[in-house]
Amino acid sequence: WPPTNLLNQPCYQEHTAATTMSFTARTVVRRMAHRNIDWSSSHFKSNPDLAVAVSTFRAWAASAENMAEKYAAPPAVIDFSGFKASARDTSLVESLEAFYKTASPSAESFEWKAEEKAEKLNQIEEAKGRLAFTQEMIEETEAELEFMKANRTTRETSGTDIKEAYPDIAEETEKELEERRWFKDAIA
């Protein structure tokens, strides 16, 4: 129960899908509601693949929100009297009405497979690791930018000043001079 012919009916499938979609939509909208995301920001448009993904997500979120509003209430009761008046075979309509009144399909539920859940959790952990690495790179780059701003070269900057500011480059340059490798970086 319910019979498979009922499960194949578009109205049943639509309502079941809508119930699932409305729950998903409400969850997404609830989570996104407290975030102020500037979808027109340049970093969403800089990469064509990202722009397509963002556009697809926004379209899905909008359709999910619309479906959540549309299917927030249970479906209206079917008025079979109008169909009885217009149908030649009223016994068919009466049997459908009797079936409609006695049918109580169970709610559709979704079970997330353990291996899929583990895979997604693993992806989240990997993303957190990449995020930590990226944050570290950002901090290092910001520190390097501050150093470069503090040691900006001008017309008054001498070679000694540059050697003091960038000792690793000065050491490499001295080594190249000693080994007479003046043009090692030149492209032939």
Side-chain angles (χ1 to χ4, degrees):
W1 189 255
T4 55
N5 60 352
L6 174 65
L7 296 176
N8 293 332
Q9 296 299 317
C11 63
Y12 176 77
Q13 290 175 344
E14 186 177 286
H15 182 267
T16 306
T19 304
T20 305
M21 182 59 104
S22 66
F23 172 74
T24 305
R26 280 180 285 185
T27 304
V28 168
V29 170
R30 236 183 272 124
R31 288 182 181 167
M32 299 282 298
H34 69 279
R35 298 181 186 169
N36 294 327
I37 298 174
D38 181 14
W39 294 109
S40 61
S41 179
S42 62
H43 62 271
F44 286 126
K45 297 176 182 176
S46 62
N47 182 342
D49 294 334
L50 180 62
V52 168
V54 166
S55 177
T56 304
F57 174 76
R58 290 182 65 199
W60 175 83
S63 69
E65 189 173 337
N66 288 339
M67 288 184 75
E69 290 173 13
K70 181 179 179 180
Y71 297 108
V77 177
I78 298 173
D79 180 25
F80 286 99
S81 60
F83 295 112
K84 285 180 187 175
S86 63
R88 282 187 294 176
D89 188 6
T90 58
S91 64
L92 178 64
V93 177
E94 289 169 357
S95 66
L96 286 173
E97 183 178 12
F99 177 73
Y100 178 76
K101 289 180 179 178
T102 59
S104 57
S106 59
E108 187 175 312
S109 62
F110 176 77
E111 291 292 326
W112 198 5
K113 294 179 183 174
E115 55 269 1
E116 289 178 1
K117 186 174 184 178
E119 180 183 340
K120 295 302 178 193
L121 291 174
N122 187 26
Q123 288 177 354
I124 290 170
E125 291 304 316
E126 288 175 2
K128 286 179 182 177
R130 288 192 305 268
L131 178 64
F133 176 72
T134 303
Q135 286 299 115
E136 185 179 312
M137 281 182 29
I138 289 171
E139 290 170 6
E140 289 174 3
T141 304
E142 287 174 347
E144 189 174 336
L145 281 172
E146 289 302 317
F147 175 79
M148 292 175 91
K149 285 178 184 177
N151 295 301
R152 186 171 283 152
T153 57
T154 63
R155 290 181 184 219
E156 288 78 32
T157 306
S158 68
T160 307
D161 294 337
I162 293 175
K163 285 181 180 180
E164 289 174 1
Y166 303 99
D168 51 339
I169 296 174
E171 182 181 327
E172 182 182 345
T173 306
E174 288 298 322
K175 185 177 177 186
E176 288 174 6
L177 289 173
E178 288 172 6
E179 296 174 357
R180 298 180 183 266
R181 296 175 60 202
W182 298 301
F183 302 107
K184 81 168 184 89
D185 295 327
I187 298 174

